[in-house]
Amino acid sequence: MADGALLWAPAAWLDGCWQPSVLLQADTSGHWSQVTSNVEPPEHAQRLPAPVLPPLVNAHSHAFQRAFVGLAERRDSASDDFWSWRDRMYGVALRITPQQLRAVAAHLYAELLAGGYTQVCEFHYLHHDEGGQPYADPATMAWALADAAADAGIGLTLLPTLYERAGFTAHGLRHDQRRFRGTVREVLALQRAVQSSSRPLLNAGAALHSLRAVAPPSLRMLAEQADGPLHIHVAEQQAEVRDCLAATGCRPIEWLLRHASIDRRWQLVHATHSVPSEVEGVAARGAGVVLCPGTEANLGDGDCDLPGWLAAGVPLTVGSDSQVLRGFSEELRWLDYGQRLRHQQRNVAAQPQQQPATAARLFDRMLAGGAAAAGLDRWGLQAGARADLLLVDTDDPALAGVPASHLLDALVFAAPARPFAQVMVAGRWVRLQRADLQQAHVQAMAQLW
Ligand SMILES: [Zn+2]
């Protein structure tokens, strides 16, 4: 589609519901200039054959872990948990090259587009070469991710990540963490390099790996000096909560609320283990929470206080994290299924009087949280936001015959094989069938394994 073109859809998800006969106008910069419902299709508009949805931001990704998906689903010791998984995952982290990362990430990003994400926040800590030394260009691995995003056509928020130490009481990193090492100055330099590149669909924030991995003075310095969103792994594991309590006397979210100036820029990734006062504190500061239900289930992390986060009005997003799931509908389904299993109830995320549809309530919350997580001014089907959209594949057998009013419910809970027929980013349809990227991924995997 040419820049500035005009689209008409029989229905679009606007303001929390399906609205009929929607006209969408993109400007020449690839942003929506006007979105209007109840409009007859003008003759010169491109008429879409099915309803359209705004895409979601994937707020948490480690692209290199795509090379490990499916390879850690066997137990070979008496105990198998997050920490044993992490040791095995480091095996990939230690040997992936920039070329292999680009190939693996580009294939992943094409999958994410097909799964309904058009922006990905890359929590990037794999900075150095296999020996732990900086590349000649210290941003080499960051450029591999940026190139991969451009190959696939997805928007990328790169979050160079500060990783200083192996634990609360450690003075440095373990030998198998040597590629992650960094200082505040180096992270800021990576951020500036990304910001000063003129690549389209690329912006930058920053990340702190976790409270266990970053000393408090460095955390404050990076928060003060970095631009854009600030992401942090916060409370994924009970052991991390216990270590934080032992080292500081506070739980992790509690520590942030007391000792860091957290505000709307902050995105707390894996706010899995919280108490009600922490939920209230995060809500009062306006910080966002990033949930990764597929990964959290896969790693046995635990269930978050979803009803608490929803009721407090905290901005929420989802992330594909370890990449075991690569579409938002599965993440939203697992988010509610985890709660159903825990509470022995159905439709836990729904709000009977205001929003009885579980999928709609979760989707709208994730939609609203996307801009802040990705450091973008606006997000969704609204004037000023990037002209991104998803054309629902109503020909998929899973959606055939579903009443239009329940299309989003079915899309999230009835698992279409191909939820979206087409995906638009910045006013252009992206190619979803990417045999070229898959082939490069296969070659990289053959070298890695
Ligand atoms: Zn993560």
Side-chain angles (χ1 to χ4, degrees):
M1 190 186 74
D3 278 345
L6 195 60
L7 303 164
W8 180 89
W13 188 262
L14 300 176
D15 301 323
C17 63
W18 291 112
Q19 297 197 23
S21 301
V22 177
L23 191 65
L24 302 114
Q25 169 87 58
D27 65 22
T28 52
S29 76
H31 292 76
W32 299 120
S33 55
Q34 210 169 358
V35 179
T36 320
S37 57
N38 293 295
V39 179
E40 289 299 309
E43 253 180 36
H44 55 291
Q46 181 185 354
R47 292 177 72 138
L48 302 176
V52 297
L53 278 171
L56 291 187
V57 168
N58 177 354
H60 191 64
S61 166
H62 308 284
F64 77 89
Q65 293 179 17
R66 178 66 184 86
F68 191 49
V69 164
L71 305 183
E73 305 305 328
R74 299 178 185 188
R75 179 186 285 230
D76 51 17
S77 59
S79 170
D80 190 4
D81 61 9
F82 170 87
W83 306 101
S84 53
W85 170 86
R86 191 185 70 157
D87 286 344
R88 291 153 76 187
M89 179 270 287
Y90 280 180
V92 188
L94 281 173
R95 63 178 187 274
I96 195 166
T97 67
Q99 295 74 21
Q100 291 161 350
L101 177 62
R102 177 176 177 170
V104 166
H107 175 59
L108 166 70
Y109 293 157
E111 291 181 289
L112 296 179
L113 283 163
Y117 300 113
T118 54
Q119 183 79 19
V120 58
C121 301
E122 192 63 43
F123 197 108
H124 169 55
Y125 56 79
L126 202 50
H127 302 306
H128 302 308
D129 70 16
E130 294 93 316
Q133 297 306 309
Y135 289 100
D137 175 355
T140 293
M141 293 296 263
W143 298 138
L145 293 167
D147 288 341
D151 292 342
I154 199 167
L156 172 65
T157 301
L158 199 71
L159 305 167
T161 302
L162 181 61
Y163 206 139
E164 292 181 316
R165 61 186 188 183
F168 283 99
T169 55
H171 292 293
L173 293 165
R174 296 181 352 190
H175 185 63
D176 60 2
Q177 297 171 323
R178 59 189 178 274
R179 298 189 76 178
F180 316 156
R181 177 177 45 82
T183 63
V184 172
R185 196 166 53 83
E186 288 165 345
V187 169
L188 289 171
L190 277 177
Q191 185 186 63
R192 304 273 142 77
V194 173
Q195 286 170 330
S196 59
S197 81
S198 54
R199 293 161 177 253
L201 305 181
L202 175 65
N203 69 324
L208 303 134
H209 181 274
S210 53
L211 289 180
R212 68 176 187 273
V214 176
S218 307
L219 178 145
R220 293 193 190 95
M221 196 188 305
L222 186 63
E224 278 170 23
Q225 296 184 23
D227 299 324
L230 276 170
H231 290 230
I232 183 167
H233 290 134
V234 70
E236 181 172 7
Q237 283 288 313
Q238 293 280 17
E240 144 177 69
V241 176
R242 285 195 297 272
D243 288 355
C244 191
L245 270 167
T248 71
C250 292
R251 302 168 56 83
I253 300 172
E254 179 188 15
W255 190 94
L256 280 177
L257 289 166
R258 287 192 188 185
H259 300 288
S261 305
I262 71 165
D263 57 18
R264 292 176 184 283
R265 292 171 67 203
W266 286 74
Q267 301 295 320
L268 311 186
V269 183
H270 303 300
T272 310
H273 301 291
S274 63
V275 295
S277 60
E278 291 175 316
V279 174
E280 286 166 30
V282 173
R285 301 286 189 89
V289 159
V290 185
L291 304 169
C292 307
T295 295
E296 288 156 9
N298 186 274
L299 299 182
D301 289 340
D303 264 339
C304 71
D305 178 11
L306 181 65
W309 293 118
L310 285 169
V314 171
L316 300 178
T317 44
V318 282
S320 62
D321 192 9
S322 72
Q323 325 299 351
V324 285
L325 301 182
R326 298 174 295 283
F328 74 72
S329 59
E330 283 188 286
E331 298 286 357
L332 299 187
R333 188 183 328 133
W334 273 103
L335 194 52
D336 207 67
Y337 279 2
Q339 301 290 319
R340 294 183 191 201
L341 290 164
R342 175 179 178 173
H343 298 287
Q344 299 178 43
Q345 286 283 310
R346 301 191 64 248
N347 291 306
V348 177
Q351 207 175 15
Q353 305 307 320
Q354 288 82 16
Q355 181 48 277
T358 303
R361 186 155 191 240
L362 291 175
F363 183 79
D364 276 336
R365 290 296 291 272
M366 307 303 165
L367 184 63
L376 301 173
D377 293 335
R378 288 174 184 227
W379 185 261
L381 301 181
Q382 56 170 311
R386 199 170 68 207
D388 292 12
L389 64 73
L390 308 171
L391 178 65
V392 177
D393 187 356
T394 46
D395 289 334
D396 187 279
L399 299 179
V402 172
S405 59
H406 284 63
L407 201 50
L408 184 60
D409 312 49
L411 195 141
V412 169
F413 288 103
R418 299 175 299 140
F420 311 111
Q422 291 193 77
V423 175
M424 175 175 283
V425 178
R428 296 173 185 278
W429 297 114
V430 294
R431 275 173 57 210
L432 294 180
Q433 307 299 325
R434 296 302 300 266
D436 55 334
L437 299 183
Q438 183 160 324
Q439 180 58 29
H441 167 82
V442 168
Q443 284 171 4
M445 289 292 284
Q447 292 163 3
L448 280 163
W449 301 104

